[in-house]
Amino acid sequence: MTPTLPRNPSLPTSLSADPWQTHPARIVAIRAESPGVTSYDLEIRDSRFRAQYGFAPGQFNMLYLPGIGEAAISISSDPAQPDLLTHTVRAVGNVTDALARRAVGDEILLRGPYGRPWPLEDHAGRDIIFVAGGLGLASQRAAILAIANKRAGFGRVVVIHGAKQPDGLLYSSEYDVWRRAGIEVDLTVDVAAPGWTGPVGFVTARLADLADGGSSPGVLCCGPDPMMAAVAGVAGARGIGPEDVWVSLERNMSCAVGQCGLCQFGPFFVCLDGPVFRHDRVARYLGVACL
Ligand SMILES: Cc1cc2nc3c(=O)[nH]c(=O)nc-3n(C[C@H](O)[C@H](O)[C@H](O)COP(=O)(O)OP(=O)(O)OC[C@H]3O[C@@H](n4cnc5c(N)ncnc54)[C@H](O)[C@@H]3O)c2cc1C
C-alpha cells in the first residue's frame, strides 16, 4: 500500500499571505566554511516581516537572485535569533555560483520558511544523535543551537559529523562551544590529511561504535542517500526503532509550495511533506534517481 503522510496544517507553508512573495534581505556577513562552501548571514530588510519571521530547525528558505533563479537552502542559524538568518551554501550551479560572487552589503531576495522541521519536540527529554555527512550539517546546525539553548530539556546529545577530508568539516570553529554546552562532537574523515589525529572512516562506523547511552535515542540524519540508508541500517542494528530514525532530503526544488511537482518523491512532495521525513516512510525511494 502506498504510504501516506498527513500534511500538518499547524505548520505555515510560509509566513506571507502570498507564498510567492519574496522579501529583500541584506548580506551582513560572509564566512568561508570549507572549500566551495560559504555561510551568509542575512538580515530581512522589511522590519515588519523581520519582526514576524520565525522558523523551526530543519526548515529552509528559497533564496532568489533576480534574473538568475531560486535555490532551496536550509536555515542554519539559531532559531532564537531569527533576525539574523544564516545559510550555508555550496556553490554548485546557477544560483549558488552567483551567490558566491555577492559581497557584504548586497541584497538578495528570500521567501519562506518552508517545510517540516526536525522532530525536536517529540524527542524532548530523550537522547539525540545527529549524523551529518558533509554539508548535511547545515540542515542540523539550527537544531544543535536550539538544543544548546535548552540543554536541560534533552538527554545525551551527540553530533557525529563526517567529511571526505578534514577541511570539509563544517563549523569547525564552533565545536568547542557545542562541547561546553554539553554536546558531544564526534568527527571522522574518509581520508586523513597531515595533522589529522581523529578517526578515519565513515559516520556509520562512528555510530556503530558509539557507547550505549542506556536509552533509545532519536537519530537525525542528513547527507547523501546511501549514507542515510546505511545510518538507518546501523541504527536498526543498535535496536533503535524505525519511529526514531529521521532523515532530511535535499532534492531539486522549484516552487517550494507543492505546485510544480519537481520535488515529488514517491507519493510525497519534499517541499510540503519534508524535507524531514521518518526514514521508514521514504526508505524505498532513497537512491531512486531524481531530477
Ligand atoms: C530542503 C532543501 C535544503 C537544502 N539546503 C541546502 C543548503 O543548506 N546548502 C546548499 O548548498 N544546498 C542546499 N540544498 C540544495 C540546493 O537547493 C541545490 O544545490 C540547488 O540546486 C542549488 O541551486 P543552483 O541554481 O545553484 O544549482 P543548479 O543550477 O540547480 O544545479 C545544481 C545541480 O543539480 C543539477 N540540476 C538542477 N536542476 C536540475 C534538473 N531540473 N534536472 C537535472 N539536474 C538538475 C545541476 O546539473 C547541478 O548538478 C537544499 C535543497 C533542499 C531541497
Side-chain angles (χ1 to χ4, degrees), residues 60 71-74 88-90 92-96 135 250-252:
F60 63 95
I73 304 292
S74 303
T88 300
V89 182
R90 170 169 287 137
V92 292
N94 295 330
V95 175
T96 49
L135 193 58
E250 300 200 344
R251 288 296 191 272
N252 283 317

Side-chain angles (χ1 to χ4, degrees), residues 139-231:
S139 89
Q140 301 184 330
R141 180 173 176 253
I144 294 165
L145 297 176
I147 288 174
N149 289 341
K150 292 187 181 160
R151 189 63 192 87
F154 296 88
R156 181 186 187 199
V157 179
V158 183
V159 176
I160 299 176
H161 176 40
K164 288 195 178 116
Q165 298 194 356
D167 66 1
L169 294 167
L170 283 192
Y171 311 125
S172 49
S173 65
E174 300 178 21
Y175 301 153
D176 285 343
V177 179
W178 298 354
R179 287 184 175 120
R180 282 198 294 275
I183 294 169
E184 295 171 48
V185 182
D186 190 329
L187 307 168
T188 186
V189 297
D190 299 355
V191 181
W196 176 256
T197 54
V200 175
F202 293 145
V203 288
T204 40
R206 303 306 300 163
L207 179 62
D209 289 349
L210 197 67
D212 196 338
S215 69
S216 182
V219 174
L220 312 186
C221 180
C222 187
D225 283 10
M227 184 210 101
M228 294 196 286
V231 164

